Structure formats: structure tokens, C-alpha cells
């Protein structure tokens, strides 16, 4: 696992430390990847762990053995079986770890650390299950390898093998080879996808003349006897299709495993049953069959659950046996899974090794396009220099209805970000779901994929221009477009490939893909131009506001935020507007159209909380968190004047902005300069910025030449911990989490943070959600309105 490059994070003492003292480059400084000597480095930074099955066959290269006397952790039967071969062929010693210990440790880690790890699989539909890490134990872990082990897990390091069966994956493969002459496990699975077990299995309907046996709850299609139909038929083995034999065999073994597992769960009163192991391999029909068996025998009271990374349980557990892995105290909010493009995948095959070098990656992708091959799915891998949990396998090809889930590709790179925390003002973190748009609906998924693809050419143009329009930038831009299109194609085929999918995940994936191809800030010059244009008219706006009554000013401020939120380069409709006028002209046009009532209009309730009623003045909020959105008019003419009003009332203000660029969103790095420039025209902003440390060595004289002391309330800026147009409040920066502890007002602004995500979120403090809806479909689905409708949603602090 690796922290993001360039981030400054605190590491606990249990984790390996990178000692850079007296580091020096060896050899030629001009080399592309020169050797860097770390003379004072004592800890091993990278660890390797293997899970080697006893049934595996190993293909060895012709290279010479290592002379480093390397020692790596290994588990599984193959760790014992192939010990001598590893030492003789590779010069590597295997430090063996107990298989059961590793399986349980790996499962516990995944279930506690990966948010969308567990899922159910019924009738081809994958549905993710949220597991509360504090309510995980006890559970039954069913590991299906050559045989089957059933392990009752009561806690970390606390488990017992309570049962098992010798009828498992080895049985399926062994009998399958004898009966079908298949050469591999995957080939046998592929046969099952084209099979029809009714030609071999005896069904209840075969016994009762096509009728159900409804008295005891058996339908006509229920298998009464696996392979039972072959008894009464005058046929030889050669007369049966291998496909039908494979499917019948798969069903027989899967049903029995599912039944025995449920009975053991019932025996020990366990609510959760997790299945994993070589036998499953992400195969959709296998999971369906096991799920059906558990549902059937439990009469619907129990569900089979599977793990997205189930093939890595043993290897993860072996990795965690290193003394300095640093994983013991990790929390789910500290881990971010990303899916970088690793190697071209086309025609059901991976072509070439994982590609770490950017130029090599681009060249491979260009080669495939020239050949006329469509890159249909990314193959993730760890970046060089990381210890991310990345890798890939060639998936089984799909065929017919019973297709493989191809989940061997569902492996990302797990990044450790220790300075991420859960937003402390969420009313119920366990129930919080950031995504508002449900992409489980295929029509909804297809629509948003189309929107993203239509926006792609314009985004590529902006990205290339941001890098000076060089030939290198154009190559990277083309490669980014192909890579992101490949991600979308993969997700259209299997929406759950990367975990639970929401619109926020798609938008974040796009930004990650841009960064992968080294486009740091595609809208840099546009943001700068719009900021300058907006700052030029800010003094006039502030003067206009100061001449208004308190009530009129508050309404005008909210109107200004909504009007300014029209500037969003992520919206196709807004991009078209840019061709019809200047930024100020568009802002004024938007302001002039602000007529109440808005589609969602809670302004009166917000006004009463701010100004009171019946002559009673309410206490001001202690601290407000303003989650800002776009650069230009949005921040300068919308959110800054609103922040100024709150400061005027004695409320501390924290501007919360992106840690990394995303579209034309303002970043926390850019905000201090904008505030400093705005403060030149406003005593309130200047004093607050000085109190908040945003202005160092500020001017001491006020604008009218008189001395004015700084107000007691500060204006501060913090980063939110993400680089996306949306925000998942389960993972925010520790800086934001600390600032939130004294806050009693949260203002979320913009479509990404207030509509696409968090529209339904409830908070411990008062919440105001402000946005102009710049997408017709979102307007119809979310607020039953139309494009350019406005949302002003006020929710008092949740008492639940």
C-alpha cells in the first residue's frame, strides 16, 4: 500500500519508515530512472506474500536464481510442496504461514477495510451489503478449494474449523477431467456456461409427470437426483454433451456446499455466511447456485455472501504476518481503491505485461487502436514504487447466458491515506449514502455514460491546452480518452466491477484517469481568467449589498450563490452558454432570472434562523463550514459575499475546497490568493482573513485610511481530502474533521456536493444545500423540475 505521491502524512511508529537522510543519485543524473541510494534505510519498505495452492502447476522462466537470499511470506499447500523449487530455481526462501490463520486474517481485513467488499448474488444480480466493522463477528467463512473448510470466526485471531467436506473444487475438476477431457479448471467452467443439466439430472417433474410436488414445496424444476436421468437411459458417456455434464456436476457440488454451510450456520446460530476460494473464481453461475441452495434450505432467512477480493484472502493474511505491515489499526475511511490502466485487454485476453511506464502504456494503446482492436476493459496494477494490492488475471471468456463474472479484473490498487477521517457532523454515519443518483438502473447508467462520453472531447481539448498543446500532451490526451472510454465500456458490461457504482464514483474515476496520464489541472488557465474577471466586479457588488436592508441583503446573497453556480464546465448546457456572452453577462442574466418560489425553496425557514421573527434575534452560528464549488463567479460573486455576511454576524467561517483539481472547481491551494485579492476591497474580509492566517503581514490601514482592528472571528480555508466534483463525507481530510468539531452550520453548494451527493444527508448541525440544476434528467428525477431550476434546502440540526 502506498500513500499518494507528494502528500504529507503522519505515520505511526509501527509502520516502516523511509529514511531519506544522505540519499544520493548513483550514476548519470540524466537517466530516466536513476538508482537512488538510501544508505540509512534499515526497514524493508516493500513486502511480498503468496498464496500457493497445492494443486497449482508452476511455470518457471529460464532466468538465473536470485543471489539476494530473498525471503518472502507464503501460505497454502504449495508453500510446502514447492519450497525446494523456489529455492533452487529462484534463490528464494519461503517463510511459511498457517493457511487457516491467513484465510481468516485476510477475510477480517477485507470485511473491515473495504467498504463494498461483501455482496449477494442471485439470478445474475450482484447487490453489495454494507458490513458494520463493529458488528462483524461471529460469522461462518466457507473456503472452497480442493476440499471445503467451514470456519467459525469469532474475532481477530479467534476462529475454529467447525466442519468441512471432501467434495469441493478438486472433486469438480477431477470428475470433470475424467468425464469431459477438459485440460483446465477454467475450460470446465466455460463448458458449464453452455450446458443444460436437464438432459442429465432427474428433476421432480420427471418423477411426477411434469407436476410440482407442492405439498412439500418442491417445484417441477427442482433437482431430485443429480445425474439421476442417466440411470434410465440407454446411453454411453460419449452420447452426452460435455457441456451438460459440466453444468450438472457444478450444480451438484455447489448445492451440497450451500446446504452443508447453511446447516453449520444454523448449528452455531450464525447470521452471516461468506464464501470464498479457488472454486468460485467470480463465476456468476457458481455464486447463483450456492445462493439458491442457502436460500432454499433456510426458507429465505439466510443469504450467501461473497467477497469481491475473495481470491486474495490467503495472500493478504500472509502479508499481514509481517511484523511491520502497519495494517492492524487501519480503518475503512483510510483506504482508497483506485483502478489505473495497467495493460491492454482486448478480445478476452490481456496483451502484454502490466505497464508501469506512461510512455509504454500510451504506445500499447496506440498500437491496439491502429490494429482496429477495441480496448474493452482496464487491467489495474500498482504504480511503480508502491506496495499497492494490485494485479491481474485473464478472466474466463463469457458465453451464452451463464457468463463468467470476470471478477479477476475487479482488482484495484489499494492506497493508504492515514489522514482521512469520517466527517464528524454526519447524523448517522452507518446509514449515510453519498450517492443520490442510483446507477443500478440500466437506463440511468446508460444515460450518464452517454453524458460523460459526449463531454469527453471538450475535456480532452482543455486538458491538452492546459499543457501547452504539445505533441506529447496530444498523445496523452488521446490515451486518456481511450482509457476512460475503456473504463466506461467495462462498467457498462459489469456495473459492479469496481464495487458499488454511483455517479460520484464515475466522476472521480474520470479525474483519477486524467491524473494517471499526468494532466494535473485541465482548467488551470480558464479558472485564472474567470477569477480575474469576477474579482474586478466584486467591489461594486459589495457596495450594492451594503446599501440593502438586512432582510433584502440575505435574499440577494442566496440569489447570488444560486445565480453564480451556473458556471460549471462539467455541464454541457453551461458550456454552451459560454459561447453566448462573457462571464459577467451570464452572471447578470442568471441573477435577473432569480424569481421565487424556487423548485425547492426553504429560504424563509433559513431567514428565520438567521434573522429571527417577532422581534426576537437568534444567536449567531458559532462556526460555518462552506463547501465551495466552482472558480470564478461562483466563489468570488457567490460564496465569498455569503461568507462575508456570516463573518459580519460574528460567525467563524471555514471555506472547504478540493485538495486536488477537478474540472473548474476551486482548490484549497488557490483560495488564499483569491481571498487576499478580495480583501483589498473589504475590511471585513481583510480582518477575518488576517485572523484566520490567510493574510500574512496584512495592510494595517482600512480602506478609508482609518485604523480598524481585526474582528474576533476568523476566515479559514481547509482542504476536503478529495479531487472530485462530488464528495463522500465518509472520507474527508483530518484537517476538515478537526474544523468541523466546533461547527453548527454546514452549507453545501453546487450540483456535485449538494445534489449528486449529499442531497439526502442529515447532519448534527444546521444544513443549507444550494444549487442550480444544470441537467434536465437530474432535475426531473430529483426535484421533479426542469433545467436551471434552483434548490435552496434548509434542514435544522438532526436530533435523531
Amino acid at each position: 500500500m502506498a500513500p499518494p505521491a507528494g502528500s504529507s502524512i503522519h505515520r505511526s511508529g509501527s509502520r516502516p519508515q523511509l529514511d531519506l537522510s544522505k540519499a544520493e543519485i548513483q550514476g548519470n543524473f540524466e537517466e530516466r530512472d536513476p538508482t537512488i541510494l538510501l544508505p540509512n534505510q534499515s526497514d524493508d519498505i516493500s513486502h511480498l506474500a503468496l498464496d500457493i495452492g497445492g494443486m497449482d502447476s508452476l511455470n518457471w522462466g529460464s532466468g538465473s536464481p536470485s543471489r539476494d537470499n530473498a525471503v518472502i511470506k507464503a501460505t497454502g499447500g504449495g508453500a510446502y510442496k514447492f519450497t525446494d523449487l523456489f529455492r533452487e530455481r529462484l534463490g528464494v526462501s519461503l517463510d511459511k504461514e498457517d493457511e487457516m490463520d491467513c484465510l481468516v486474517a485476510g477475510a477480517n481485513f477485507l470485511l473491515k477495510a473495504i467498504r463494498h467488499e461483501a455482496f449477494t448474488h442471485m439470478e445474475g444480480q450482484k447487490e453489495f451489503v454494507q458490513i458494520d466493522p463493529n458488528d462483524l463477528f461471529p460469522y461462518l467463512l466457507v473456503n472452497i478449494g480442493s476440499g471445503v473448510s467451514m470456519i467459525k470466526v469469532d474475532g481477530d485471531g479467534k476462529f475454529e474449523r467447525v466442519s468441512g467436506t471432501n467434495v469441493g473444487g478438486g472433486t469438480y475438476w477431477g470428475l470433470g477431467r475424467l468425464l469431459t477431457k477438459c485440460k483446465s479448471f477454467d475450460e470446465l467452467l466455460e463448458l458449464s456456461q453452455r450446458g443444460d443439466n436437464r438432459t442429465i439430472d432427474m428433476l421432480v417433474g420427471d418423477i411426477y409427470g411434469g407436476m410440482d410436488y407442492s405439498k412439500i414445496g418442491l417445484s417441477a424444476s427442482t433437482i431430485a437426483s443429480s445425474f439421476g436421468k442417466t440411470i434410465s437411459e440407454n446411453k454411453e458417456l460419449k452420447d452426452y454433451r460435455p457441456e451438460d455434464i459440466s453444468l450438472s456436476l457444478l450444480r451438484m457440488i455447489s448445492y451440497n456446499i450451500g446446504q452443508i454451510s447453511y446447516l453449520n450456520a444454523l448449528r452455531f446460530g450464525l447470521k452471516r455466511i461468506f464464501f470464498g476460494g479457488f472454486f468460485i473464481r467470480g463465476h456468476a453461475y457458481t455464486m447463483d447456485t450456492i445462493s439458491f441452495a442457502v436460500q432454499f434450505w433456510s426458507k429465505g432467512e439466510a443469504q450467501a455472501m461473497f467477497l469481491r477480493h475473495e481470491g486474495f484472502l490467503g495472500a493478504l493474511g500472509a502479508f499481514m504476518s509481517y511484523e511491520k505491515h502497519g495494517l492492524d489499526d487501519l480503518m475503512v475511511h483510510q483506504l482508497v481503491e483506485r483502478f489505473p490502466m495497467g495493460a491492454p485487454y482486448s478480445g478476452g485476453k490481456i496483451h502484454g505485461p502490466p505497464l508501469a511506464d506512461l510512455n509504454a502504456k500510451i504506445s500499447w494503446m496506440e498500437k491496439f487502436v491502429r490494429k482496429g482492436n477495441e480496448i474493452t476493459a482496464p487491467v489495474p496494477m500498482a504504480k511503480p514504487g508502491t506496495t499497492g494490492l494490485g494485479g491481474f488475471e485473464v478472466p474466463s471468456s463469457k458465453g451464452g447466458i451463464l457468463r463468467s463474472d470476470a471478477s479477476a479484473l475487479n482488482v484495484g490498487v489499494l492506497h493508504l491515506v492515514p489522514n482521512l477521517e469520517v466527517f464528524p457532523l454526519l447524523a448517522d454515519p452507518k446509514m449515510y449514502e453519498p450517492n443520490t443518483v442510483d446507477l443500478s438502473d440500466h437506463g440511468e447508467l446508460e444515460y450518464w455514460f452517454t453524458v460523460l462520453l459526449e463531454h469527453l472531447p471538450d475535456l480532452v481539448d482543455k486538458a491538452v491546452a492546459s499543457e501547452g498543446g504539445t505533441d506529447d500532451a496530444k498523445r496523452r490526451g488521446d490515451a486518456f480518452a481511450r482509457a476512460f472510454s475503456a473504463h466506461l465500456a467495462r462498467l457498462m458490461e459489469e456495473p459492479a466491477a469496481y464495487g458499488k457504482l454511483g455517479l460520484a464514483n464515475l466522476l472521480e474515476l474520470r479525474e483519477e484517469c486524467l491524473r494517471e496520464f499526468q494532466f494535473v489541472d485541465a482548467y488551470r488557465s480558464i479558472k485564472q481568467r474567470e477569477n480575474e474577471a469576477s474579482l474586478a466586479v466584486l467591489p461594486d457588488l459589495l457596495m450594492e449589498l451594503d446599501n440593502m436592508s438586512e432582510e433584502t441583503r440575505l435574499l440577494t446573497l442566496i440569489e447570488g450563490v444560486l445565480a453564480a453556480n451556473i458556471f460549471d464546465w462539467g455541464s454541457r448546457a453551461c458550456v454552451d452558454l459560454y459561447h453566448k456572452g462573457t462571464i459577467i453577462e451570464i452572471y447578470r442574466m442568471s441573477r435577473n432570472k432569480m424569481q421565487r418560489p424556487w423548485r425547492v425553496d426553504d429560504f424563509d425557514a433559513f431567514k428565520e434562523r438567521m434573522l429571527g421573527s417577532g422581534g426576537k434575534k437568534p444567536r449567531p452560528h458559532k462556526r460555518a463550514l462552506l463547501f465551495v464549488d466552482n472558480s470564478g463567479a461562483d466563489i468570488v460573486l457567490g460564496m465569498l459575499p455569503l461568507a462575508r455576511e456570516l463573518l459580519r454576524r460574528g460567525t467563524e467561517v471555514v471555506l472547504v475546497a478540493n485538495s486536488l483539481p477537478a474540472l473548474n472547481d476551486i482548490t484549497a491551494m488557490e483560495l488564499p490568493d483569491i481571498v487576499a485579492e478580495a480583501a483589498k476591497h473589504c475590511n471585513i474580509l481583510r480582518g477575518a482573513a488576517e485572523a484566520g492566517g490567510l493574510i500574512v503581514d496584512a495592510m494595517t490601514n482600512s480602506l478609508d485610511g482609518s485604523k480598524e482592528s481585526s474582528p474576533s472571528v476568523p476566515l479559514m480555508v481547509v482542504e476536503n481530502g478529495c479531487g472530485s466534483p462530488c464528495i463522500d463525507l465518509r472520507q474527508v481530510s483530518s484537517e476538515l474533521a478537526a474544523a468541523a468539531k466546533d461547527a453548527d452550520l454546514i452549507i453545501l453548494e453546487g450540483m456535485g456536493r449538494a445534489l449528486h451527493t449529499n442531497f439526502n444527508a442529515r447532519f448534527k448541525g444546521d444544513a443549507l444545500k444550494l444549487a442550480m440544476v444544470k441537467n434536465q434528467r437530474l432535475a426531473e428525477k430529483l426535484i421533479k423540475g426542469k433545467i436551471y431550476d434552483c434548490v435552496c434546502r434548509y434542514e435544522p440540526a438532526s436530533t435523531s
Side-chain angles (χ1 to χ4, degrees), residues 216-245:
I216 59 174
L218 297 178
S219 68
S221 60
T222 301
I223 298 174
S225 175
S226 294
F227 286 83
K229 194 171 286 187
T230 63
I231 300 171
S232 57
E233 294 181 336
N234 188 23
K235 292 182 179 179
E236 301 294 328
L237 178 60
K238 62 181 176 59
D239 298 321
Y240 292 98
R241 295 173 65 236
E243 293 87 343
D244 301 340
I245 293 173

Side-chain angles (χ1 to χ4, degrees), residues 121-184:
H121 204 289
M122 287 290 291
E123 298 181 356
Q125 297 300 310
K126 180 185 289 186
E127 184 173 333
F128 287 94
V129 179
Q130 186 62 51
I131 303 294
D132 181 0
N134 299 315
D135 189 32
L136 173 60
F137 308 111
Y139 67 84
L140 187 69
L141 177 62
V142 182
N143 187 60
I144 314 173
S146 305
V148 182
S149 289
M150 298 178 187
I151 308 166
K152 178 175 174 281
V153 183
D154 294 304
D156 291 320
K158 300 176 182 178
F159 64 89
E160 177 187 4
R161 186 183 188 275
V162 294
S163 185
T165 170
N166 58 355
V167 179
T171 312
Y172 176 59
W173 192 357
L175 286 176
R177 286 188 68 179
L178 291 174
L179 297 174
T180 68
K181 308 303 181 186
C182 280
K183 297 294 190 295
S184 72

